[in-house]
Structures are given as structure tokens and as C-alpha cells.
């Protein structure tokens, strides 16, 4: 009898749910988009209504509808959700206010207790787990920045004064479990509604990027994962926490007491592609339909014919500036009569590669690390053009893993470990992860990209920053 694991990846733009057999083969997949976030005031970015839970339930239902097997053979659920969000709940565990997105400026500081209706403060995984199981439990590895978490024990600080320094009381916090441990059993009413076995366990993972790392098969610091999603960054795995890191962010991995080193990222990375698609509008839809292709497929096909370097069109991806430089805006430089919409598209993809390459180099310089291979995942990984650009710029082989979501697969790996199907996380990874395609670098393209990067890309902001500082007070 074949058994299956249901895995949830609640991301920034959609929730993805996949069913895997115990060898990691994807048996079914479903997804449901999140609504556009609300921005009711400067710096405030919130998920509308109960959108996160709604998207999770709809994606689960879609995945189960697409499944051709027996639902009674599903033996576990892995839960992975968006990181760096803050969820405020009332005494009945209902939302006291909309969920704060990771883009919300309020998350740059510790929680401030300003609403007497707030009784609990948690993450997206704590909230979604409560909706799934009714348990007041959360994964320790989804708590990043401004939380009273002891990284040495993966528990809350015992000293109430230390907890109070984060604006919290111990009674406001959920109980913690480690990745690969049980959060609870699926609520009886949900199991009946979805046709799943009773008492099916829901298993903890980590923050969504760390689960991406696990599901991509990153085992050491010589392999780098580039996550090509709404927030684009590169990550590797280490046995050691790196104190006082300057150019990267060390965080908890989806394996207890291991750490993910994450580069500085590109805010609204692949979102910029969505922005561009909307910008060119109906003509893109018309042409893609005419060629019987998706919009992304048509853009990528046309971008393949654009020369390396986009005929001198340079894009700087500051569509969402960092808090430290709020004056920055997105920039495109070097237009002339040669440039088409597809030059703009390729230039955006090249900007993604340049930006992440320079962020990776900064991290490797600080850690004295060396990279030998790259794994890409996320929505942008589906683009052969972007994958080849990354291979050429880094001058390294780039692997794209098989499957719809590395985070879903990482959640399945955590669940397989909890169920003792595999003795270790590494054994589960080795058995369940497969490579779909490898992109090898073109040495001539590497030389040109390196020249563009060193002579142009790295020098642009020192000039444009001064202009944007002048325009910021006028247009902010």
C-alpha cells in the first residue's frame, strides 16, 4: 500500500500544497493565490481579512481534488508558512488585527502592546497550526528578529525580564517545538471535511526560506541555493552560528541546531516581473495566446533572442527600497532605439542575477567560503533564460530541482523524519530530492557579464543615490 505526505507551502504570493509518496515523487499539486496586501498607511503592509487561512484551505482542497489515490493513505502533514510576519490574536484565538506582512515597517522593531484585545502574539505558522490542530504550538525555527528566543536551546528565554524587553509576556507566546516534531493532530472536523484519516499528525518545519534550503538538498557551505521568489536571496547551510555578521543574516535551519546563512536580498524580486507583465498588458496576453504559450513562456522565448547585456540596458532593482535607504527607486539606464519590451524583460532578469551575485560575494568574503554549485528554486527558477544568466554570471553549474515547490518538499522531508520513515534529515533528502535540469556556464558570456558587473553595476548607486536623495522629499 502506497502512503503519502501532504505538504503545505504558504508563501508571499500564493499557497502551494503538494502530495508526495515516501520516495519524494509528487502525486498531486494545488495552489491558490493570496490577495494583494493592504497598505492603509505609509509603512503598513497587511494581509486582508483572513486571507492566509483561506488560501491554505483552498490550496489543500485543490490538491486533494487533483489526487488520484486513496485519501486514507495520507499519513502526515508538513506545515511551512511565510516568515517574518506578526500575528496578533484575541482571547478566542481570532485575529485581533490583519496579519502584518514581512514588508510591514512595524516589524523593524519589537512588539508594542497597544491593543488590550491582543492576548497572543505569534507567527503565521503558529496561527495556521492553531487553525489546523487547535494546539497552541509553533515551530521554534520560524522566529526571526525581535523575539525572545534562545538559539542555544530553541526555547523561550526563562527570564521574564528578557521576554519583557521584546514587549511581551510569556503568557502571550505559543509553546515551541523543533523542526521535524509534532505540532498536533488535524482537527476532527477538518479531517472529516477533507476526507482525511482521523488523528493525522501536523509536523513543524521552519521559516519558509529555511524549508526551501532543506527541500533543495543543501548539505554544506559549498552549495548555494538561490530562492527566486517575491524576496530573492541566496542561502547555504552551516553547523555554526555566525556572530555579528555584517553582510548576511544567520538564521535557524529546518534541521534543529543547524543554521542557514542568508545573503542580503532583493525586495520584490520576481514581483518586478509581475509588475512588468501588467505594464505591457493586453498585448502580452494576445501574443502568448497566439503562440499557445504562457505569458512567462512567451517572454522567455523572446528574451532568448536578446544579446547578453541587453544591448546596454541596465536595471537597478529598487522597486521596494531597504529601510536604510528609503530614497531609492527602481532605475533603468541606457535606452536607445534598439530596445524593445523584451530587452526590458531580459534586463530585469540580468539585474536579479547581478544583485544576488554581489550579495553572495559579500557573504563569501566575510565567511571565507567557497561555492562550487548553485541550486535554484521558486517561481523564477522555471525560466531557462534566468537560470542560464545565473550560470554564466557565476561561472558555475546551476541545478533546477524537480517538483512544484522546494518548500513543499522540505515540509514533506520534515514529516518523513517525524514518522521515522527515514532516520535522519539527510537520509530523507537523499531519497526524496531529484534534479530536473542542469545549466552549464558559457565562458564567453561570463567574461562579458563580469565586465559589466565590475565596471558598471557596482558603480551605479554611488551616482544615482545622490539624485534620488534630492527627488525623495518631493515624491515620497
Amino acid at each position: 500500500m502506497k502512503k503519502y505526505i501532504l505538504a503545505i507551502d504558504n508563501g508571499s504570493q500564493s499557497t502551494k500544497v503538494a502530495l508526495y509518496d515516501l520516495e519524494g515523487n509528487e502525486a498531486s499539486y494545488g495552489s491558490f493565490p493570496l490577495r494583494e496586501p493592504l497598505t492603509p498607511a505609509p509603512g503598513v503592509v497587511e494581509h486582508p481579512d483572513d486571507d492566509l487561512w483561506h488560501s491554505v484551505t483552498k490550496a489543500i482542497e485543490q490538491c486533494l481534488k487533483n489526487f488520484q489515490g486513496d485519501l486514507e493513505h495520507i499519513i502526515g502533514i508538513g506545515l511551512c508558512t511565510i516568515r517574518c510576519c506578526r500575528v496578533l490574536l484575541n482571547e478566542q484565538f481570532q485575529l485581533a488585527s490583519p496579519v502584518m506582512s514581512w514588508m510591514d515597517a512595524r516589524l523593524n522593531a519589537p512588539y508594542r502592546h497597544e491593543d488590550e484585545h491582543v492576548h497572543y502574539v505569534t507567527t503565521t505558522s503558529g496561527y495556521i497550526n492553531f487553525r489546523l490542530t487547535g494546539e497552541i504550538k509553533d515551530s521554534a525555527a520560524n522566529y526571526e528578529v525581535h523575539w525572545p528566543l534562545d538559539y542555544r536551546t530553541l526555547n523561550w528565554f526563562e527570564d521574564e525580564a528578557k521576554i519583557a524587553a521584546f514587549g511581551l509576556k510569556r503568557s502571550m507566546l505559543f509553546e515551541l517545538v523543533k523542526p521535524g516534531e509534532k505540532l498536533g493532530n488535524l482537527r476532527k472536523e477538518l479531517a472529516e471535511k477533507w476526507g482525511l484519516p482521523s488523528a493525522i499528525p501536523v509536523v513543524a518545519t521552519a521559516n519558509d526560506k529555511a524549508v526551501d534550503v532543506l527541500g533543495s538538498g543543501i548539505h554544506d557551505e559549498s552549495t548555494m541555493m538561490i530562492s527566486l521568489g517575491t524576496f530573492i536571496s541566496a542561502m547555504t547551510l552551516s553547523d555554526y552560528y555566525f556572530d555579528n555578521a555584517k553582510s548576511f543574516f544567520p538564521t535557524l535551519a529546518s534541521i534543529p541546531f543547524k543554521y542557514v546563512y542568508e545573503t542580503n536580498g532583493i525586495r520584490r524580486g520576481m514581483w518586478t516581473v509581475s509588475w512588468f507583465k501588467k505594464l505591457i498588458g493586453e498585448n502580452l496576453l494576445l501574443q502568448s495566446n497566439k503562440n499557445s504559450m504562457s505569458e512567462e513562456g512567451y517572454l522567455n522565448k523572446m528574451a532568448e533572442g536578446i544579446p547578453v547585456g541587453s544591448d546596454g540596458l541596465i536595471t537597478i532593482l529598487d522597486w521596494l527600497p531597504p529601510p536604510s535607504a528609503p530614497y531609492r527607486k527602481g532605475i533603468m539606464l541606457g535606452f536607445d532605439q534598439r530596445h524593445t519590451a523584451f530587452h526590458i524583460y531580459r534586463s530585469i532578469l540580468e539585474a536579479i542575477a547581478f544583485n544576488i551575485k554581489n550579495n553572495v560575494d559579500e557573504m563569501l568574503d566575510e565567511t571565507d567560503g567557497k561555492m562550487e554549485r548553485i541550486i535554484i528554486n521558486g517561481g523564477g527558477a522555471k525560466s531557462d533564460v534566468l537560470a542560464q544568466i545565473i550560470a554564466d554570471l557565476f561561472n558555475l553549474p546551476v541545478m533546477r530541482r524537480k517538483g512544484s515547490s522546494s518548500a513543499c518538499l522540505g515540509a514533506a522531508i520534515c514529516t518523513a523524519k517525524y514518522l521515522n520513515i527515514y532516520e535522519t534529515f539527510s537520509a530523507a533528502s537523499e531519497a526524496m530530492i531529484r534534479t530536473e535540469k542542469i545549466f552549464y556556464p558559457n565562458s564567453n558570456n561570463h567574461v562579458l557579464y563580469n565586465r559589466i558587473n565590475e565596471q558598471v553595476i557596482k558603480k551605479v548607486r554611488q551616482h544615482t543615490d545622490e539624485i534620488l536623495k534630492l527627488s525623495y522629499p518631493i515624491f515620497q
Side-chain angles (χ1 to χ4, degrees):
M1 179 183 70
K2 213 164 195 179
K3 297 181 180 180
Y4 300 90
I5 292 170
L6 184 75
I8 300 167
D9 170 18
N10 167 229
S12 295
Q13 296 191 73
S14 67
T15 295
K16 298 165 281 292
V17 176
L19 267 168
Y20 299 95
D21 67 20
L22 304 187
E23 288 75 46
N25 298 301
E26 188 175 301
S28 181
Y29 177 76
S31 67
F32 194 84
L34 270 67
R35 291 160 56 188
E36 287 290 323
L38 303 174
T39 54
V44 174
V45 186
E46 300 173 327
H47 291 280
D49 302 322
D50 204 359
D51 190 41
L52 294 185
W53 173 242
H54 179 69
S55 72
V56 168
T57 60
K58 292 299 183 182
I60 289 174
E61 289 165 4
Q62 185 65 48
C63 180
L64 296 178
K65 180 180 178 182
N66 294 335
F67 182 49
Q68 301 298 311
D70 188 339
L71 297 180
E72 287 293 324
H73 296 169
I74 299 173
I75 59 174
I77 299 173
L79 176 62
C80 167
T81 68
I82 319 170
R83 64 177 178 169
C84 296
C85 298
R86 189 178 291 160
V87 184
L88 309 181
L89 302 176
N90 62 23
E91 195 170 8
Q92 289 74 42
F93 297 96
Q94 299 168 334
L95 292 175
S97 60
V99 175
M100 297 181 204
S101 162
W102 61 269
M103 295 180 280
D104 196 301
R106 290 171 292 179
L107 299 185
N108 296 326
Y111 169 74
R112 293 178 62 183
H113 191 61
E114 300 173 326
D115 182 352
E116 63 180 11
H117 295 101
V118 175
H119 281 252
Y120 301 96
V121 183
T122 185
T123 69
T124 51
S125 53
Y127 175 60
I128 298 300
N129 177 60
F130 178 79
R131 296 300 300 266
L132 287 171
T133 70
E135 298 286 347
I136 312 171
K137 293 182 179 181
D138 197 3
S139 170
N142 198 22
Y143 284 85
E144 298 182 277
V145 186
H146 304 308
W147 293 96
L149 181 71
D150 186 339
Y151 275 28
R152 297 169 301 173
T153 64
L154 296 184
N155 287 312
W156 301 121
F157 289 130
E158 295 182 359
D159 188 338
E160 282 286 352
K162 288 186 177 181
I163 296 175
F166 293 87
L168 297 160
K169 298 178 182 178
R170 177 63 186 85
S171 60
M172 302 170 75
L173 299 166
F174 280 28
E175 297 296 324
L176 296 179
V177 303
K178 299 176 182 63
E181 293 183 351
K182 182 178 171 181
L183 288 162
N185 292 326
L186 186 65
R187 289 176 185 261
K188 181 180 178 182
E189 62 268 27
L190 292 177
E192 291 176 352
K193 176 183 178 182
W194 293 332
L196 297 175
S198 59
I200 188 170
V202 177
V203 178
T205 63
N207 65 80
D208 55 349
K209 295 297 184 182
V211 184
D212 262 343
V213 168
L214 179 63
S216 296
I218 308 297
H219 298 296
D220 55 44
E221 294 180 46
S222 67
T223 305
M224 191 76 63
M225 185 201 79
I226 299 178
S227 177
L228 298 166
T230 306
F231 182 81
I232 296 175
S233 60
M235 284 152 276
T236 191
L237 188 69
S238 177
D239 292 329
Y240 306 100
Y241 187 78
F242 196 103
D243 287 314
N244 303 313
K246 296 180 177 62
S247 62
F248 68 98
F249 181 60
T251 186
L252 296 167
S254 200
I255 301 174
F257 305 108
K258 287 185 179 287
Y259 305 93
V260 168
Y261 294 173
E262 180 177 6
T263 65
N264 290 323
I266 308 170
R267 295 156 65 87
R268 286 191 174 170
M270 296 309 300
W271 175 93
T272 314
V273 172
S274 300
W275 164 84
F276 176 68
K277 285 166 52 182
K278 291 179 182 178
L279 192 68
I280 58 177
E282 290 184 6
N283 186 56
L284 174 60
L285 180 61
L286 179 66
Q287 293 299 321
S288 59
N289 287 339
K290 183 178 178 180
N291 288 272
S292 302
M293 303 174 74
S294 67
E295 293 178 0
E296 291 85 355
Y298 178 70
L299 282 172
N300 285 311
K301 177 179 181 295
M302 299 304 293
E304 287 177 351
I306 302 299
V308 171
S310 302
D311 282 325
L313 185 60
I314 303 297
T315 297
I316 304 297
L317 288 175
D318 286 323
W319 266 248
L320 181 65
S324 59
Y327 52 83
R328 285 182 174 162
K329 301 291 182 183
I331 294 171
M332 290 184 177
L333 293 170
F335 280 107
D336 62 34
Q337 75 283 354
R338 295 172 295 177
H339 294 124
T340 66
F342 308 111
H343 283 80
I344 296 175
Y345 176 68
R346 185 179 179 104
S347 180
I348 290 172
L349 299 185
E350 290 177 334
I352 290 169
F354 283 128
N355 197 323
I356 203 64
K357 171 66 162 62
N358 294 331
N359 291 345
V360 166
D361 286 348
E362 287 182 0
M363 183 174 77
L364 294 177
D365 287 344
E366 187 172 355
T367 62
D368 197 28
K370 184 179 180 181
M371 187 168 44
E372 297 177 0
R373 66 194 67 83
I374 296 170
I375 296 168
I376 56 172
N377 67 17
K382 298 174 184 176
S383 168
D384 285 7
V385 176
L386 180 54
Q388 190 61 54
I389 290 170
I390 292 171
D392 292 346
L393 178 58
F394 280 84
N395 203 30
L396 289 171
V398 170
M399 291 179 281
R400 178 167 63 210
R401 296 304 199 196
K402 189 174 182 180
S404 302
S405 166
S406 291
C408 279
L409 187 52
I413 288 168
C414 284
T415 308
K417 169 65 172 61
Y418 165 75
L419 295 169
N420 291 316
I421 295 163
Y422 298 100
E423 188 173 347
T424 65
F425 288 94
S426 294
S429 297
E430 289 291 338
M432 299 176 74
I433 296 172
R434 291 167 180 79
T435 296
E436 178 184 284
K437 188 173 181 178
I438 302 177
F439 299 84
Y440 294 97
N442 179 301
S443 57
N444 291 330
N445 291 349
H446 171 69
V447 170
L448 179 55
Y449 274 137
N450 192 57
R451 183 182 178 191
I452 295 169
N453 193 29
E454 294 297 326
Q455 296 182 14
V456 182
I457 301 297
K458 290 183 177 181
K459 298 179 180 180
V460 168
R461 284 196 180 100
Q462 63 183 293
H463 302 288
T464 58
D465 275 1
E466 298 309 309
I467 296 297
L468 292 171
K469 286 176 184 177
L470 296 176
S471 66
Y472 181 66
I474 302 173
F475 298 108
Q476 66 172 313

